[in-house]
Amino acid sequence: MMSVYFFFACLVFVVLRFDANAESFNNPENKISYYLHPDAGLNISQLLEKYGYPLETHVIQTEDGYLLSVHRIANGHQYYSNSPKVPVLLVHGLMSQSTDFVNAGPGRSLSYLLADEGYDVWLLNCRGNTHSRRHITLDPDKDKSKFWDFSWHEMGKYDLPNTIDYILNATNQESLFYIGHSQGTTTFFVMASLLPEYNKKIRHASLLGPAALFSNNMDIKYRTMAKFHKELKLASLIFNVHEFLRHSEFYLDVVKTLCLEGQETYDLCKALYTIGAGYSPTEFNMTILPVIASNSPSGFAVKQGFHYFQLFLNGGLFRQYDYGSIVNLVKYGASKPPNYNLSSISAPVTLHYAKEDQCVDYKDVEIIETLLPNGIKRMVPEIHFTHLDFLWGNNVKSLIYDYMLDEMEKYQ
Ligand SMILES: *[C@@H]1O[C@H](CO)[C@@H](O)[C@H](O)[C@H]1NC(C)=O
Ligand SMILES: *[C@@H]1O[C@H](CO)[C@@H](O)[C@H](O)[C@H]1NC(C)=O
Ligand SMILES: *[C@@H]1O[C@H](CO)[C@@H](O)[C@H](O)[C@H]1NC(C)=O
Ligand SMILES: *[C@@H]1O[C@H](CO)[C@@H](O)[C@H](O)[C@H]1NC(C)=O
């Protein structure tokens, strides 16, 4: 979650330092011999076209007026059949977007594996990211404080159910598979607890790095940010900052300048990434970093971050946004925000989690499992596995995806 932010913040710092004292910094001759992944700079349309998977883009209007782009891979490479395909909805994490489910390439990224197995793959872009930075009346730049007044609560309340209804109608199906990563699991928990009628529309949910409870998370970065989140919130009001880490070409430029193998700064870049996202010697592969940075980070509302920080500090509750007791009274009719009731989630759920995930502590996931009436947990059988390895780990297919695909088959 916040780790990518931390990584990029560190990189920006390093770039600014280098810019000040290194003349050769932007000298193209210095870059020539370094290996740059051929997919760097491509967006989702270009990636899918390159690998021969047809892409459809659907625009879904939410009940509260946001316009979401949903990317669909209706036909896998190796699968041609007239039988109706079961839809599967993939939902990304904080500051991420649809491309993060394809950018590790065919045979490896989840979208391709699902398409090759014959699933009808739908990749949601939640409100506010690069592909869904639109609203029927609000302008994200001119009406900042209104457009960006949302957390993952609104994604769970509107983006997910509205998208699910759209997909079920478009495909003439009664239910679909759900796969979420990180914040894409938080939004699932919000929807399935707030709108219990949606549980029967979920055949099965695979949740990667399930993020709802944080009382056992002692990570010093997150704890520190959470501790000062009220000050951060005040600063965001004073400086009128409501959106954070919007995508720009700058991120790819930074990675190309500092993070390619052979560059002097490679080890530094790797160390920063490690501090930000955790250490997994066997899983993380720096060669893919330029491909990731081509589309992510992808922007989010600061309120999403503040809502997470509240969860770090509230003693283990999964609950709605805390506006302070007076506003809470007006909004919720009580001085404390209501809890989301995880026990009312009846859909079958598998929680995939990792022992050393810095963003989501395994003990918190194990509590979630005890609360879900129809949930099981599966710890990744690899000790060094981080929150981002669920998307890009070298061995994620054999460690998780193969198991997931087998399990989904049972719910066909
Ligand atoms: C990807 O880039 C191409 C070329 O600039 C553009 O036509 C296309 O709309 C982009 N796709 C997305 C999903 O942004
Ligand atoms: C359902 O799908 C049909 C076409 O498949 C479309 O004409 C109709 O408007 C859709 N209804 C809703 C509520 O989205
Ligand atoms: C890292 O990724 C590249 C391609 O992106 C691949 O060729 C290489 O084998 C990977 N390294 C490991 C250790 O898996
Ligand atoms: C949560 O949902 C469960 C199952 O529907 C129900 O038994 C329980 O009373 C609910 N808890 C609260 C606090 O509403």
Side-chain angles (χ1 to χ4, degrees), residues 43-46 55 57 71 131:
N43 66 24
I44 191 166
S45 333
Q46 294 161 330
L55 175 74
T57 301
H71 293 132
H131 306 290

Side-chain angles (χ1 to χ4, degrees), residues 321-359:
Y321 195 83
D322 191 344
Y323 293 92
S325 45
I326 296 171
V327 180
N328 286 345
L329 266 177
V330 177
K331 288 222 176 227
Y332 306 123
S335 62
K336 300 271 185 229
N339 295 333
Y340 301 104
N341 186 354
L342 290 168
S343 302
S344 64
I345 299 178
S346 58
V349 172
T350 303
L351 306 168
H352 293 272
Y353 66 123
K355 189 80 182 255
E356 291 188 351
D357 187 333
Q358 295 182 345
C359 300

Side-chain angles (χ1 to χ4, degrees), residues 278-307:
Y279 184 57
S280 51
T282 52
E283 295 307 314
F284 187 62
N285 191 333
M286 287 276 282
T287 58
I288 199 192
L289 201 53
V291 191
I292 298 170
S294 306
N295 299 283
S296 285
S298 189
F300 64 103
V302 293
K303 196 172 174 184
Q304 291 168 254
F306 297 143
H307 198 172

Side-chain angles (χ1 to χ4, degrees), residues 206-231:
S206 299
L207 304 183
L208 308 169
L213 304 177
F214 292 91
S215 63
N216 286 298
N217 190 319
M218 294 301 152
D219 187 273
I220 189 82
K221 297 187 294 291
Y222 302 129
R223 284 267 151 207
T224 308
M225 285 192 273
K227 196 171 157 202
F228 292 107
H229 87 274
K230 288 200 173 131
E231 286 77 6

Side-chain angles (χ1 to χ4, degrees), residues 123-183:
L123 305 164
L124 175 58
N125 287 290
C126 293
R127 60 185 62 199
N129 86 14
T130 311
H131 306 290
S132 299
R133 209 175 166 277
R134 281 196 294 159
H135 186 279
I136 47 171
T137 57
L138 300 173
D139 183 292
D141 298 310
K142 294 196 191 105
D143 310 306
K144 280 186 194 173
S145 60
K146 283 191 185 139
F147 181 95
W148 296 99
D149 184 18
F150 61 80
S151 163
W152 32 261
H153 172 82
E154 285 73 16
M155 298 173 179
K157 187 173 173 192
Y158 302 113
D159 296 3
L160 260 53
N162 294 170
T163 302
I164 289 173
D165 287 336
Y166 178 95
I167 296 173
L168 296 181
N169 178 52
T171 56
N172 218 359
Q173 297 272 324
E174 307 252 289
S175 61
L176 48 67
F177 285 103
Y178 185 96
I179 297 173
H181 173 237
S182 190
Q183 181 192 264

